[in-house]
């Protein structure tokens, strides 16, 4: 068969066994060193050879042969093995240099199968067929089937048979990888990490078959000396387990890639929301029911048909605060049947610990929940098209799968009764301390019990300084434009304009903060006074549950102002338009004093007027 036969395998193995002793043990040789040696035997001629058909026939022979051994010998032993010569394998690789790596393995397997299958076929027919009995004598079959010798060689035969089955499975995995290699590694990244292993894995399959051939010779020859197959079994099992994991990952990535393309196609035209949901979540149309968080029962995904759907997508690293964001929305939609919320947990690899965490989190959700049977097949689409980066998002889709909003999560948050601190200043240390202390205040149990939620948004120094083109510069320009357009009118300033005037008076201070609730400005504070309010939280937090956070904060801030009211300054740039004759102080009823100041930032601007 090709240029290799079972006799060559056996003869070469026997001839080089002694030569191998004392040389570098191949079992401890690094894979890269093996790769260097075996690549020298490989000619990239791509000789045409139907390795798939040969493997299919050989696989059929060995599966039947190993099954016969299982029936003849009681499997009462564990499955490990023995060492055989590296030079025998190198000789085989040199003879098969023009063949692909999977073809080399298939040809060696075929040669082994001829001998192995023939021997065990004679064992099966030995007692019932005279020709088989006569041929069996030549092959020393009686040595194996006699009871005393069966007990003597039983363990070795079981080890050999198990190793043959594992090697067969390894070669099968190599062929599967070769078939999967038609995909682009850019779409299936796991391919690039495993294809380079095929030569080394083929090598271990071939050298193991050489070892098995030697072991067959020892058993059928009734020799006391046997080959230790355990090191080969260990190598084969390590390679096989790795390839199985990689093949599973490759199939998962192929499913994700195909789901990505399918979803993009589906969303080009109006499609029933339920169909898109199936393509987004379930691989190979393996549709599973949803969990109804309100009743803890399983329901068909038909509940989403012709509905507006809010896809709540997150990892399992999600807080109770983030879950609570959707509860008011759910309560508002509960009486209506046209909109549903579904939680889609995104987990790359499920474990028992993650399943427990999933159960805990889903118990806090009254809406629909996707079960954790397998990773979400549309994860590639979710990340690429909806910019999911493990932080919670809410994708809003109408009944025909049109995406109305790729992430309404923050929008929902702001519509709720949340407080937001906008803060900044000239002093970076003040900015850091303020953020640290407000965060501690927000996480205090008193605030949690009172269901007071606070977010921080820094408008501090940025990398571009404070010129007109920086984020900070544009912020102050907007504030100035708004204030001066209002102040030039004869009408009295409204509450928002007064708060902006206060803010402008803090522009050059070390720190400042604006507290808002939704779109409403609660108050604006100077860095010194507002930091003291935060610092002394322990003195007034006991009143939060009774009076509310906003009232308590404002009252304590007013108390602090009584003993410490810093001077107030509002700069009016020449380019802002006509300056008002009088400007009332934003902190008291007095009219502010007027000063003239000159400023140079050493950039292109007004010249000195001398020519």
């Amino acid at each position: 068969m090709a240029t290799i036969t079972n006799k060559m395998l056996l003869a070469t193995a026997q001839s080089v066994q002694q030569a191998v002793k004392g040389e570098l043990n191949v079992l401890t040789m690094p894979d890269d060193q093996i790769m260097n040696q075996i690549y020298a035997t490989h000619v990239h001629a791509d000789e045409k050879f139907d390795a798939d058909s040969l493997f299919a026939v050989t696989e059929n022979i060995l599966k039947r042969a190993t099954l016969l051994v299982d029936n003849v010998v009681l499997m009462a032993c564990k499955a490990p093995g023995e060492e055989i010569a590296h030079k025998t394998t190198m000789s085989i690789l040199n003879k098969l240099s023009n063949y692909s790596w999977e073809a080399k393995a298939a040809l060696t397997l075929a040669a082994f199968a001829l001998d192995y299958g023939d021997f065990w076929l004679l064992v099966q027919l030995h007692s019932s067929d005279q020709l088989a009995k006569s041929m069996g004598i030549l092959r020393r079959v009686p040595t194996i089937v006699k009871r005393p010798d069966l007990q003597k060689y039983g363990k070795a035969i079981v080890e050999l048979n198990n190793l043959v089955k594992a090697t067969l499975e390894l070669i099968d995995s190599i062929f599967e990888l070769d078939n999967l290699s038609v995909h682009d590694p850019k779409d299936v990244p796991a391919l690039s990490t495993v294809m380079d292993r095929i030569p080394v894995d083929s090598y271990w399959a071939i050298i193991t078959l050489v070892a098995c051939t030697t072991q067959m010779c020892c058993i059928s020859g009734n020799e006391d000396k046997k080959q230790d197959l355990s090191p080969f079994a260990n190598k084969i099992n390590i390679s096989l387990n790795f390839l199985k994991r990689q093949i599973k990952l490759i199939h998962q990535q192929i499913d994700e890639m195909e789901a990505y393309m399918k979803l993009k196609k589906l969303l080009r035209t109006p499609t029933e929301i339920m169909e898109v949901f199936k393509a987004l979540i379930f691989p190979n149309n393996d549709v599973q029911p949803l969990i109804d968080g309100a009743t803890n029962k399983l329901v068909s995904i038909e509940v989403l048909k012709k509905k507006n759907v809010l896809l709540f997508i997150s990892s399992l690293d999600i807080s109770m605060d983030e879950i609570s964001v959707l509860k008011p929305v759910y309560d508002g939609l509960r009486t209506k049947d046209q909109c549903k919320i579904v939680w889609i947990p995104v987990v790359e690899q499920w474990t028992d610990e993650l399943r427990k965490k999933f159960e805990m989190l889903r118990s806090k959700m009254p809406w629909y929940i996707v079960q954790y049977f397998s990773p979400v097949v549309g994860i590639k689409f979710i990340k690429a098209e909806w910019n999911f980066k493990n932080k919670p998002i809410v994708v809003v889709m109408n009944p025909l799968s049109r995406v109305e909003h790729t992430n309404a999560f923050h929008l929902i948050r702001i519509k709720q009764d949340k407080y937001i601190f906008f803060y900044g200043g000239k002093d970076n240390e003040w900015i850091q301390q303020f953020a640290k202390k407000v965060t501690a205040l927000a996480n205090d149990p008193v605030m949690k019990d009172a269901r007071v939620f606070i977010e921080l948004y820094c408008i501090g120094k940025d990398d571009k300084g404070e010129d007109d083109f920086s984020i900070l510069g544009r912020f102050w320009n907007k504030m100035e434009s708004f204030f001066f357009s209002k102040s030039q009118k004869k009408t009295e300033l409204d509450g928002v304009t007064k708060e902006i005037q206060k803010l402008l008076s803090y522009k050059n201070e070390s720190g400042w903060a604006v507290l808002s609730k939704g779109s409403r400005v609660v108050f604006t504070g100077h860095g010194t006074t507002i930091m003291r309010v935060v610092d002394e939280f322990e003195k007034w937090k006991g009143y939060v549950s009774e009076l509310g956070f906003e009232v308590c904060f404002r009252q304590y801030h007013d108390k602090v102002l009584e003993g410490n009211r810093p001077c107030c300054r509002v700069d009016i740039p020449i380019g802002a338009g006509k300056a008002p004759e009088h400007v009332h102080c934003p902190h008291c009823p007095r009219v502010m004093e007027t000063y003239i100041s000159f400023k140079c930032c050493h950039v292109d601007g007004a010249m000195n007027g001398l020519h």
Side-chain angles (χ1 to χ4, degrees):
M1 166 134 343
T3 54
I4 180 171
T5 66
N6 57 299
K7 290 183 179 179
M8 187 279 286
L9 276 175
L10 180 57
T12 310
Q14 291 174 333
S15 65
V16 299
Q17 275 186 14
Q18 297 301 321
V20 174
K21 293 181 179 178
E23 296 183 0
L24 177 64
N25 189 343
V26 69
L27 296 169
T28 60
M29 191 184 297
D31 281 350
D32 57 350
Q33 192 172 344
I34 292 174
M35 184 75 82
N36 290 336
Q37 292 196 34
I38 64 178
Y39 248 102
T41 71
H42 185 62
V43 178
H44 297 277
D46 194 23
E47 181 172 319
K48 299 299 181 184
F49 181 75
D50 189 2
D52 289 272
S53 297
L54 176 64
F55 177 72
V57 173
T58 307
E59 181 182 37
N60 187 48
I61 293 171
L62 285 176
K63 281 187 174 179
R64 291 177 182 275
T66 54
L67 181 61
L68 289 173
V69 178
D70 288 340
N71 293 332
V72 171
V73 183
L74 293 176
M75 298 187 68
C77 306
K78 294 183 179 179
E82 185 181 322
E83 183 178 351
I84 199 69
H86 168 60
K87 285 187 178 179
T88 305
T89 304
M90 296 304 296
S91 174
I92 294 169
L93 291 175
N94 278 308
K95 289 180 182 295
L96 302 177
S97 59
N98 290 329
Y99 293 91
S100 66
W101 288 104
E102 61 272 11
K104 297 179 204 287
L107 283 165
T108 308
L109 183 68
F112 174 79
L114 284 175
D115 195 40
Y116 195 72
D118 181 52
F119 183 87
W120 289 107
L121 179 61
L122 292 176
V123 170
Q124 184 187 35
L125 301 176
H126 180 266
S127 61
S128 60
D129 186 278
Q130 187 59 45
L131 177 59
K133 186 172 185 179
S134 299
M135 292 182 66
I137 291 172
L138 295 177
R139 296 296 307 275
R140 299 188 180 185
V141 168
T143 302
I144 301 299
V145 299
K146 288 179 182 177
R147 189 77 182 170
D149 290 323
L150 183 61
Q151 292 177 343
K152 176 181 177 181
Y153 291 108
K155 179 180 178 181
I157 293 172
V158 169
E159 290 176 342
L160 172 63
N161 202 53
N162 287 338
L163 184 53
V164 170
K165 288 188 283 188
T167 307
L168 179 63
E169 196 173 355
L170 177 64
I171 297 175
D172 187 30
S173 297
I174 291 171
F175 270 84
E176 185 173 0
L177 273 177
D178 183 61
N179 293 331
L180 291 171
S181 66
V182 297
H183 294 282
D184 191 333
K186 288 186 292 186
D187 297 323
V188 188
L191 271 173
S192 59
T193 63
V194 74
M195 293 306 296
D196 291 343
R197 285 188 53 92
I198 285 182
V200 172
D201 288 332
S202 298
Y203 165 84
W204 282 115
I206 293 170
I207 198 173
T208 301
L209 291 171
V210 171
C212 290
T213 301
T214 303
Q215 183 73 321
M216 275 295 297
C217 177
C218 294
I219 292 172
S220 62
N222 197 19
E223 298 178 9
D224 290 333
K225 179 184 177 183
K226 294 190 291 291
Q227 299 296 306
D228 180 12
L229 296 178
S230 59
F232 298 98
N234 184 51
K235 286 284 187 180
I236 291 294
N237 286 327
I238 289 173
S239 293
L240 182 58
N241 289 334
F242 176 78
L243 290 189
K244 281 183 173 179
R245 289 195 303 271
Q246 289 301 114
I247 288 171
K248 181 180 179 181
L249 180 58
I250 289 168
H251 279 296
Q252 180 182 322
Q253 291 179 351
I254 290 172
D255 287 342
E256 290 173 1
M257 183 263 295
E258 290 176 347
Y260 178 79
M261 300 305 297
K262 182 178 180 180
L263 283 163
K264 289 204 74 170
K265 184 177 180 181
L266 281 173
L267 292 174
R268 288 193 190 110
T269 56
T271 308
E272 216 295 318
I273 181 66
M274 196 175 66
E275 296 304 315
V276 171
F277 186 79
K278 285 193 290 187
L280 183 70
I281 306 299
F282 306 109
N284 304 316
N285 289 322
D286 182 21
V287 180
Q288 301 292 330
L290 301 174
I291 300 172
D292 185 342
T295 63
N296 205 29
K297 294 180 179 179
L298 298 179
V299 296
S300 168
I301 67 166
E302 293 280 338
V303 296
L304 304 181
K305 193 170 185 178
K306 297 182 179 179
K307 300 293 191 297
N308 294 285
V309 178
L310 275 65
L311 302 176
F312 180 33
I313 305 170
S314 78
S315 68
L316 296 190
D317 293 323
I318 184 172
S319 66
M320 293 300 109
D321 177 35
E322 288 168 322
I323 292 174
S324 69
V325 168
L326 280 181
K327 286 191 175 177
V329 178
Y330 171 78
D331 291 337
L333 298 173
R334 187 165 49 180
T335 56
K336 303 173 184 177
D337 194 42
Q338 293 306 307
C339 193
K340 303 294 181 183
I341 302 175
V342 184
W343 180 42
I344 303 175
V346 175
V347 176
E348 299 289 343
Q349 188 65 47
W350 285 98
T351 63
D352 290 340
E353 186 176 346
L354 290 177
R355 288 186 179 94
K356 290 178 183 176
K357 188 171 185 180
F358 166 81
E359 293 294 340
M360 182 276 292
L361 289 171
R362 76 148 179 113
S363 68
K364 310 294 182 183
M365 302 182 190
W367 41 80
Y368 296 118
I369 299 146
V370 172
Q371 301 181 74
Y372 59 75
F373 290 108
S374 60
V376 174
V377 73
I379 184 61
K380 181 180 177 72
F381 183 90
I382 291 171
K383 289 180 177 179
E385 302 297 324
W386 294 340
N387 200 33
F388 175 71
K389 296 178 180 177
N390 292 323
K391 295 293 184 181
I393 64 172
V394 174
V395 179
V396 183
M397 302 182 80
N398 70 15
L400 292 179
S401 300
R402 178 178 176 178
V403 177
E404 303 289 351
H405 206 298
T406 55
N407 188 7
F409 189 73
H410 295 296
L411 187 64
I412 294 169
R413 261 191 143 151
I414 292 173
K415 286 181 177 181
Q416 293 185 356
D417 292 338
K418 283 186 176 293
Y419 291 96
I420 303 175
F421 269 111
F422 298 91
Y423 65 103
K426 295 285 186 179
D427 188 346
N428 278 335
E429 185 177 350
W430 183 94
I431 290 173
Q432 293 170 5
Q433 287 298 312
F434 182 76
K436 179 181 178 181
K437 291 178 180 180
V438 171
T439 300
L441 178 151
N443 291 324
D444 191 279
V446 169
M447 301 290 280
K448 297 291 186 183
D449 291 343
R451 298 191 62 77
V452 177
F453 303 107
I454 297 175
E455 290 187 356
L456 287 162
Y457 190 89
C458 180
I459 310 177
K461 287 187 176 181
D462 59 26
D463 294 335
K464 295 182 180 179
E466 293 184 37
D467 58 63
D468 290 346
F469 300 104
S470 70
I471 296 172
L472 192 56
R474 291 198 301 271
F475 171 78
W476 288 119
N477 285 342
K478 290 283 187 184
M479 295 298 103
E480 288 170 350
S481 298
F482 181 83
F483 171 70
F484 293 122
S485 65
K486 291 284 188 180
S487 63
Q488 287 168 3
K489 296 178 181 180
K490 300 299 181 180
T491 56
E492 187 177 345
L493 299 181
D494 58 26
V496 174
T497 308
K498 287 181 179 178
E499 292 300 326
I500 290 177
Q501 183 188 2
K502 280 186 188 178
L503 180 59
L504 288 172
S505 74
Y506 304 143
K507 178 178 177 180
N508 295 305
E509 299 296 334
S510 59
W512 54 266
V514 177
L515 178 63
S516 68
K517 188 174 186 181
S519 60
R520 177 174 60 87
V521 176
V522 176
F523 75 91
T524 306
H526 186 279
T528 304
T529 55
I530 205 163
M531 181 70 87
R532 184 175 164 187
V533 176
V534 174
D535 269 338
E536 298 177 2
F537 177 55
E538 292 293 327
K539 294 182 179 179
W540 55 271
K541 74 176 185 179
Y543 302 99
V544 169
S545 59
E546 179 183 351
L547 302 176
F549 167 72
E550 182 178 328
V551 173
C552 291
F553 199 104
R554 185 190 291 278
Q555 287 183 354
Y556 201 83
H557 186 261
D558 291 343
K559 181 179 178 182
V560 169
L561 280 176
E562 290 174 3
N564 181 16
R565 193 181 294 271
C567 293
C568 180
R569 167 187 167 185
V570 177
D571 291 330
I572 302 178
I574 297 299
K578 181 182 177 182
E581 293 183 8
H582 304 289
V583 175
H584 287 274
C585 177
H587 299 282
C588 69
R590 297 179 178 84
V591 174
M592 301 183 73
E593 297 179 9
T594 304
Y595 288 83
I596 297 176
S597 66
F598 297 91
K599 178 182 178 183
C600 179
C601 294
H602 315 293
V603 296
D604 292 341
M607 302 298 289
N608 58 19
L610 299 177
H611 300 282

